[in-house]
Amino acid sequence: MGLLEGKTALIFGLANKNSIAWGVAQAFKREGATIGISYAGEILKRRVEPLAESIGCDFVEECDVSKDEDIESVVAKAKKRFGKIDILVHSIGFANRDELRGPFYNTSREGFHLAMDISVYSFVALARAFQPLMNPGGAILTMTYAGSVKVTPNYNVMGIAKAALEASTRYLAYDFGKQNVRVNAISAGPIRTLAAAGVGGFKTMYKAFEEMAPLHENITTEDVGNAAIFLSSDLSARTTGEVFYVDSGYNIMGVPGMGIE
Ligand code: NAD
Ligand code: 0WE
């Protein structure tokens, strides 16, 4: 029997087959969950629908998380279709491309607000909107990156957004504890997704990551999917408000090993 048998999961942030959200969707499917998917905009529909279909998912809804009315509408549709849900996955982040290069102090007021709105507030807004639909024993998940706690050059305003996202995870965990719903974040190492495409120096960072990490391997969306199963299933029943690293151990290192051991 699958670890998520009888559970319903809604996954936000699917763009294409490289998305972390897709790794999560496939892993959840494997463990027997009923899945609903949400994506950002009309142009992604053509990509997302065949993927959803391939895992037998026919709840595929557009939702731009910067619009309250889009969030309300997807909640209404989920309520009509599923009644209650068990798992909510937020796999969304965005900053203007020109904020992700050069000195952090050049961050514009508008760029700061946009990154915080799409990458952080959307998590709070989705958690609130789905609160009445969440079954006891359920789980809420978001995706973060270690640029929240240590400097990653060029990650800039996204690092600040991820720090706020991790703090939001703790505050939401406190709120949702009363209804026995857990809230956790997965901090993944760098993965070549759409959100990493065109990032200057990504290739170099990828290589350095592989060298520095104790396990000397880069991260896949499948790895994140497997961690998401744990954090959404009853296996992690007493874990909430945590940032769970899926990074081949990279974050524990202070100095690179350089093969001197
Ligand atoms: P991705 O591009 O596949 O996913 C990002 C998603 O955010 C896309 O589906 C995009 O449509 C969605 N999005 C952007 N603006 C939106 C809006 N207004 N409304 C609704 N959706 C919107 O890339 P990914 O790497 O899978 O990113 C998923 C999450 O994982 C992000 O939070 C990202 O910060 C995080 N993350 C990524 C990495 C990495 O190296 N790729 C590492 C750690 C954490
Ligand atoms: O969270 C992310 C991706 C964040 C991201 C990426 C983009 C590129 C395209 C947010 N918004 C946009 N907007 C775009 O227009 N990661 C963890 C991957 C990532 O992105 C970086 C990284 C890493 C790692 C950007 C700079 C430096 C390192």
Side-chain angles (χ1 to χ4, degrees):
M1 189 172 142
L3 288 163
L4 302 177
E5 214 75 57
K7 292 193 193 267
T8 299
L10 277 190
I11 303 173
F12 285 77
L14 182 59
N16 57 38
K17 66 174 178 20
N18 299 319
S19 293
I20 291 175
W22 183 236
V24 173
Q26 287 174 294
F28 282 9
K29 174 69 186 174
R30 172 160 54 82
E31 294 301 332
T34 299
I35 294 163
I37 281 170
S38 175
Y39 61 97
E42 183 63 33
I43 14 167
L44 289 175
K45 191 175 185 163
R46 191 172 51 87
R47 278 244 155 68
V48 168
E49 273 187 336
L51 287 175
E53 200 181 328
S54 76
I55 55 165
C57 159
D58 58 3
F59 185 92
V60 189
E61 295 297 336
E62 188 177 327
C63 174
D64 177 342
V65 293
S66 66
K67 296 180 180 151
D68 290 333
E69 60 273 25
D70 277 27
I71 295 177
E72 283 318 313
S73 137
V74 75
V75 170
K77 284 171 181 158
K79 185 172 178 183
K80 194 162 173 216
R81 176 59 175 280
F82 301 116
K84 295 286 174 114
I85 68 166
D86 302 282
I87 304 165
L88 179 67
V89 178
H90 172 273
S91 186
I92 291 169
F94 188 78
N96 279 329
R97 185 173 284 273
D98 54 359
E99 302 289 359
L100 300 174
R101 57 170 168 249
F104 166 62
Y105 60 64
N106 280 343
T107 304
S108 68
R109 191 181 296 275
E110 198 192 1
F112 190 98
H113 284 156
L114 181 72
M116 294 296 275
D117 186 28
I118 307 297
S119 313
V120 188
Y121 185 74
S122 67
F123 184 48
V124 183
L126 284 178
R128 180 177 61 252
F130 281 99
Q131 187 257 329
L133 270 61
M134 293 297 298
N135 274 326
I140 302 180
L141 272 184
T142 188
M143 299 301 155
T144 187
Y145 174 66
S148 59
V149 284
K150 299 278 173 67
V151 173
T152 301
N154 296 321
Y155 198 60
N156 294 355
V157 70
M158 278 305 297
I160 281 68
K162 292 304 191 190
L165 182 68
E166 291 170 18
S168 302
T169 300
R170 292 184 283 271
Y171 278 84
L172 289 171
Y174 174 70
D175 290 344
F176 277 85
K178 294 176 199 61
Q179 63 185 86
N180 190 26
V181 168
R182 300 174 297 102
V183 186
N184 291 290
I186 294 176
S187 185
I191 307 175
R192 288 174 204 270
T193 61
L194 188 61
V199 166
F202 198 81
K203 226 174 158 176
T204 314
M205 198 174 56
Y206 215 63
K207 192 99 200 82
F209 182 91
E210 212 174 1
E211 270 165 35
M212 175 109 135
L215 295 175
H216 300 298
E217 289 219 81
N218 272 287
I219 306 310
T220 65
T221 56
E222 198 186 339
D223 296 326
V224 179
N226 286 336
I229 291 168
F230 169 68
L231 289 173
S232 314
S233 74
D234 303 335
L235 288 180
S236 63
R238 301 291 173 267
T239 298
T240 195
E242 285 294 322
V243 177
F244 188 88
Y245 280 79
V246 178
D247 70 341
S248 290
Y250 183 88
N251 77 93
I252 69 168
M253 298 302 292
V255 173
M258 303 182 293
I260 54 173
E261 61 278 10

